[in-house]
Amino acid sequence: MAGEYSSVPAADLDDISGQIFVPGATEDNTLDESVSVTLMRDMKAVGGKFYHVLIPRDGTSLLNDWDLWGPLILCTVLAILLQGHGDGSNDGGPQFAQVFVIVWLGAGVVTLNSTLLDGKLSFFQSICVLGYCILPLVIAAVLVKLISLFGLKRGLVAFIVDFSLVTVTFVWSMFAAVCFLKPTNNPGKKLISTYPVGLFYFVIAWLVVSQP
């Protein structure tokens, strides 16, 4: 049996060389780049996803290249805008942590519902889409806060303006989320999959319109 195996001379081993190539892999090594370059690349990616939410046409960038930076930024801004005064006064506004819990827990429940209904998205892909699509409501929260601080005083006119802004942005958020999630839902269960999404954005919209 030993005679059936051929040996390679030791001198020939020095001539054996090569490279390991993985099909589809890029040659960019992000481990050697500076922090500023990494941050700029991530910010550009987040800005691109914001653009897709504002003009919802193609959801592949949100689905294939998902991240949680955008939802984290939007949730932080929303929590800062909606939090109460924190001075012990009962102004009816939610606290910072409460907004975080409502947004992330709500997105998690909606994602779990979609998964149980045989949705095609992974957990974090769905969280990414739901988180990015609150962008219009965050814009409404900024405008409502500016109106309260520098514009109209609290009253019927201010409520009508606030309500109109929040209604438009609620529909905007809902439309964007449905555009991205609809192709991934079970065709026979699209209605029951979409209803929790609308409820999720309705709760956020109510927080925005009722902010102190």
Side-chain angles (χ1 to χ4, degrees), residues 136-153:
L137 288 170
V138 174
I139 295 175
V142 173
L143 295 177
V144 169
K145 181 65 69 174
L146 291 176
I147 291 174
S148 175
L149 294 176
F150 305 108
L152 300 171
K153 295 182 178 180

Side-chain angles (χ1 to χ4, degrees), residues 81-101:
L81 292 172
L82 298 184
Q83 69 176 337
H85 297 310
D87 55 0
S89 60
N90 186 17
D91 55 12
Q95 298 304 312
F96 187 92
Q98 292 175 333
V99 176
F100 253 81
V101 170

Side-chain angles (χ1 to χ4, degrees), residues 2-207:
E4 296 180 4
Y5 295 93
S6 61
S7 60
V8 179
D12 294 340
L13 292 177
D14 295 336
D15 298 331
I16 299 176
S17 63
Q19 296 179 346
I20 298 176
F21 174 73
V22 180
T26 61
E27 297 182 358
D28 296 334
N29 187 0
T30 58
L31 295 177
D32 297 331
E33 67 183 15
S34 63
V35 176
S36 60
V37 173
T38 302
L39 289 177
M40 286 300 299
R41 187 185 68 251
D42 291 342
M43 289 300 101
K44 287 180 180 179
V46 170
K49 294 181 179 67
F50 284 162
Y51 173 79
H52 284 290
V53 172
L54 295 177
I55 307 178
R57 294 177 298 179
D58 180 15
T60 56
S61 64
L62 282 178
L63 301 180
N64 298 333
D65 187 23
W66 62 268
D67 68 77
L68 299 180
W69 285 114
L72 179 61
I73 294 172
L74 293 175
C75 186
T76 302
V77 173
L78 188 65
I80 292 173
L81 292 172
L82 298 184
Q83 69 176 337
H85 297 310
D87 55 0
S89 60
N90 186 17
D91 55 12
Q95 298 304 312
F96 187 92
Q98 292 175 333
V99 176
F100 253 81
V101 170
I102 291 173
V103 173
W104 289 101
L105 182 61
V109 171
V110 173
T111 298
L112 181 60
N113 176 76
S114 177
T115 302
L116 294 176
L117 294 176
D118 301 326
K120 299 177 182 179
L121 289 183
S122 69
F123 182 84
F124 289 108
Q125 282 178 318
S126 182
I127 291 289
C128 172
V129 172
L130 293 171
Y132 268 100
C133 288
I134 68 174
L135 174 61
L137 288 170
V138 174
I139 295 175
V142 173
L143 295 177
V144 169
K145 181 65 69 174
L146 291 176
I147 291 174
S148 175
L149 294 176
F150 305 108
L152 300 171
K153 295 182 178 180
R154 285 294 172 184
L156 180 60
V157 175
F159 176 78
I160 292 175
V161 174
D162 293 350
F163 184 81
S164 300
L165 283 173
V166 174
T167 300
V168 171
T169 53
F170 164 72
V171 174
W172 198 344
S173 291
M174 186 67 186
F175 176 73
V178 169
C179 285
F180 299 137
L181 296 176
K182 186 177 180 180
T184 66
N185 290 333
N186 189 320
K189 302 176 181 179
K190 288 185 176 181
L191 181 60
I192 196 173
S193 299
T194 305
Y195 169 74
V197 177
L199 185 61
F200 170 67
Y201 290 118
F202 176 80
V203 171
I204 298 177
W206 179 257
L207 291 176

